[in-house]
């Protein structure tokens, strides 16, 4: 889209013109069309010709003394009608010799046409008014063009640098000084920017706003469509923009141009805007940095049902995000999917309270593992949550459970949905791995082997304990003879000062090793 000086809507309305100091000196009085004073004024003309309407192109404010209309009521009515047909913004009549008072015929015609008619009770030099208004319009138009180019340059530079969607939206919000929201055609929020409290206020009322998003703009709500090649796929909204409408529309259009280009070029990321939106929300939930209650408006605006629902926090290892999203839609399960880390994906199901959450989660996990071929995919879960505030803790618990499934060889022995009780001691250690007491215990128990030179012995110890102290199996897995394994086990016991044949001492070393391994991940 190319925006030129002529295509920019002016920034002054009839009402604003009437408040100018030079106009107030003429004691203006609105005698007709008072409900149409917000019409934009594109230009101001001084015109006495009775047929001035044929020379207009729309949006002009006409200044006249009516000297050529005096004494002819038909001409007076036709004059007003011609201005209406030409879509003039308003007519201003200077009272004087021609008309000592507002002519009733013109006033009635203007009221019927909805054309603002203003009379000036004091003599007024029209040249001063035209100069004032024209200079203001020109300054604002050139300022708008300058702003347009500045926004375009800044957004293009960000796109060239591979900036994410959020960075572009932050820049648009900085220029517009109001909340900015990007949605898809279903009004699902894909991104927001602006002052956090103001954005949260918008999202809390998003259901109403979304219904109005496709309607008439007003009160600072300005939108621009997103799409290309004849197809729309979203929109950007400036929510409560306080500047003039022309500049707001210009900003929205410039932002839309940049967002379309950003999406066409891949957006500087490997995932779609929808995926980025879900990822941002679920990451904030897991981190706990932002209270869950503050994230509720974002979840609702992102399309997640949140009223009277049961939430099932899941974490999937070795699951493809796109496949998980498709499976949710196939099974008709409302939820959000987002990759938290490489190979670790969070799934938050939102189910009606009268449905069996455990059974539906198990059905989802079974279908997923069936479609995954070799059973490598692990679906970890926390118990269903009835309160939104409990969701972050549930997601963290599910993540701990997923981490506790140490290797793929154990996956075949696990249920479709793995919970904390299924990973036993390993799960407990994962939950406590950041506790300084646990860290100190692990270092104290393994002190003799925690150096690079003893890595081989540490690996032998790990296998020996994982196989239930089976010496034959350990020797086989490390491709050494039984005598060679005995020598290594003896060296381990000497360095640690323990007897691995003693169950309690072996259990203590095993727990320390599990804690050490958990801390390394």
């Amino acid at each position: 889209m190319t925006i030129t000086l002529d295509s920019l809507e002016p920034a002054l309305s009839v009402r604003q013109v009437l408040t100018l100091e030079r106009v107030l000196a003429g004691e203006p009085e609105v005698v007709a069309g008072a409900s149409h004073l917000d019409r934009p004024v594109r230009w101001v003309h001084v015109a006495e010709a009775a047929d001035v309407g044929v020379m207009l192109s729309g949006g002009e404010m006409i200044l006249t003394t009516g000297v050529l209309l005096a004494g002819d009521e038909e001409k007076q009515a036709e004059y007003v009608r011609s201005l209406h047909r030409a879509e003039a913004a308003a007519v201003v009549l200077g009272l004087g010799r021609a008309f000592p008072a507002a002519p009733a015929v013109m006033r009635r015609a203007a009221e019927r046409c909805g054309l603002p008619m203003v009379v000036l009770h004091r003599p007024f030099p029209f040249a001063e008014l035209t100069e004032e208004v024209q200079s203001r319009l020109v300054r604002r138009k050139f300022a708008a063009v300058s702003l347009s180019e500045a926004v375009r340059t800044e957004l293009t530079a960000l796109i060239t640098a591979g900036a994410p969607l959020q960075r572009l939206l932050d820049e648009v919000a900085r220029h517009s000084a109001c909340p900015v929201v990007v949605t898809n055609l279903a009004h699902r929020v894909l991104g927001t920017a602006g002052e956090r409290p103001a954005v949260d206020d918008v999202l809390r009322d998003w259901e109403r706003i979304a219904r109005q998003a496709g309607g008439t703009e007003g009160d600072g709500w300005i939108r621009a469509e997103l799409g290309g090649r004849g197809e729309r796929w979203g929109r950007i909204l400036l929510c409560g923009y306080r500047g003039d409408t022309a500049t707001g529309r210009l900003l929205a259009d410039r932002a839309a141009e940049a967002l379309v280009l950003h999406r066409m070029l891949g957006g500087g990321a490997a995932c779609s805007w929808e995926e980025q939106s879900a990822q941002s929300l679920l990451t904030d939930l897991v981190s706990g940095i932002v209270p869950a209650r503050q994230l509720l408006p974002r979840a609702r605006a992102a399309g997640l049902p949140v009223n009277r629902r049961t939430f099932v926090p899941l974490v999937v290892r070795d699951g493809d995000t796109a496949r998980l999203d498709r499976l949710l839609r196939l099974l008709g399960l409302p939820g959000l999917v987002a990759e938290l880390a490489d190979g670790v994906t969070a799934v938050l199901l939102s189910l009606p309270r009268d449905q069996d959450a455990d059974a539906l989660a198990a059905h989802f996990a079974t279908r997923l593992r069936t479609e995954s071929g070799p059973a490598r995919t692990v679906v970890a879960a926390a118990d269903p949550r009835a309160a939104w505030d409990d969701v972050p803790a549930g997601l963290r618990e599910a993540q701990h459970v997923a981490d506790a499934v140490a290797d793929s060889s154990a996956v075949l022995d696990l249920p479709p949905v793995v919970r904390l009780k299924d990973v036993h001691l390993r799960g407990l250690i994962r939950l406590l791995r950041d506790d300084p007491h646990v860290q100190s215990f692990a270092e104290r128990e393994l002190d003799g082997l925690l150096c690079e030179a003893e890595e081989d012995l540490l690996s032998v110890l790990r296998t020996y304990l994982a196989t239930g102290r089976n010496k034959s199996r350990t020797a086989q897995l490390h491709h050494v003879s039984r005598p060679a394994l005995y020598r290594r086990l003896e060296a381990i016991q000497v360095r640690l000062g323990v007897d691995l044949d003693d169950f309690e001492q072996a259990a203590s070393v095993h727990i320390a090793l599990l804690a050490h391994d958990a801390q390394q991940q």
Side-chain angles (χ1 to χ4, degrees), residues 355-499:
Q355 293 186 352
D356 189 333
D358 289 336
L360 288 173
H363 180 54
F364 168 76
T366 301
R367 284 288 300 270
L368 180 61
R369 292 182 64 173
T370 300
E371 294 181 5
S372 299
R376 296 181 55 84
T377 300
V378 174
V379 179
D383 291 334
R385 262 56 178 176
W388 174 258
D389 287 346
D390 296 333
V391 169
L395 284 168
R396 289 193 289 272
E397 180 181 318
Q399 191 170 20
H400 282 306
V401 173
D403 289 343
V405 181
D407 62 305
S408 59
S409 62
V411 174
L412 290 172
D413 302 324
L414 293 173
V417 178
V418 187
R419 302 184 186 277
L420 200 56
K421 64 182 180 60
D422 299 314
V423 290
H424 307 294
L425 177 62
R426 190 179 301 273
L428 176 64
I429 294 300
R430 293 282 173 164
L431 284 173
L432 300 176
R433 64 180 177 179
D434 294 327
D435 188 297
H437 297 292
V438 174
Q439 294 172 356
S440 177
F441 169 76
E443 292 177 3
R444 185 172 62 251
E445 290 290 302
L446 302 173
D447 182 56
L449 297 179
L450 296 181
C451 63
E452 188 174 347
E454 305 297 350
E455 183 62 36
D456 181 60
L457 291 181
L458 193 66
S459 176
V460 170
L461 174 62
R462 185 181 291 108
T463 304
Y464 179 62
L465 296 174
T467 59
R469 296 184 293 174
N470 187 320
K471 294 182 175 67
S472 297
R473 180 61 177 157
T474 302
Q476 181 183 13
L477 291 174
H478 282 269
H479 308 289
V480 297
S481 63
R482 289 284 292 270
L485 175 66
Y486 294 155
R487 288 194 295 273
R488 295 184 186 186
L489 291 176
E490 182 64 29
I492 289 170
Q493 293 180 101
V494 170
R495 284 168 172 75
L496 297 182
V498 299
D499 179 6

Side-chain angles (χ1 to χ4, degrees), residues 28-43:
E29 178 189 0
V30 179
V31 296
S35 61
H36 300 278
L37 295 181
D38 291 320
R39 285 183 175 180
V41 176
R42 189 179 62 81
W43 212 242

Side-chain angles (χ1 to χ4, degrees), residues 119-174:
V119 296
L120 300 175
H121 290 277
R122 292 176 62 87
F124 186 87
F126 285 167
E128 291 186 8
L129 175 57
T130 57
E131 179 184 5
E132 174 79 9
V133 174
Q134 317 299 44
S135 62
R136 285 175 179 261
L137 292 175
V138 169
R139 285 199 303 270
R140 293 197 181 197
K141 287 181 179 181
F142 275 111
V145 171
S146 177
L147 174 63
S148 170
E149 292 309 311
V151 172
R152 168 183 280 170
T153 299
E154 292 170 11
L155 295 181
T156 301
L158 289 174
I159 294 171
T160 304
L165 171 66
Q166 188 60 54
R167 183 68 186 85
L168 270 67
L169 295 183
D170 289 341
E171 190 67 19
V172 176
R174 183 177 71 83

Side-chain angles (χ1 to χ4, degrees), residues 70-111:
D72 191 331
E73 292 188 349
E74 179 54 36
K75 276 188 178 181
Q76 295 170 19
E78 178 55 28
Y79 182 83
V80 172
R81 290 193 293 266
S82 68
L83 293 181
H84 169 65
R85 290 193 296 269
E87 298 182 347
V91 58
V92 178
L93 176 65
L95 300 181
R97 287 182 300 172
F99 292 103
V105 173
M106 293 183 67
R107 189 175 63 246
R108 288 195 297 269
E111 192 64 48

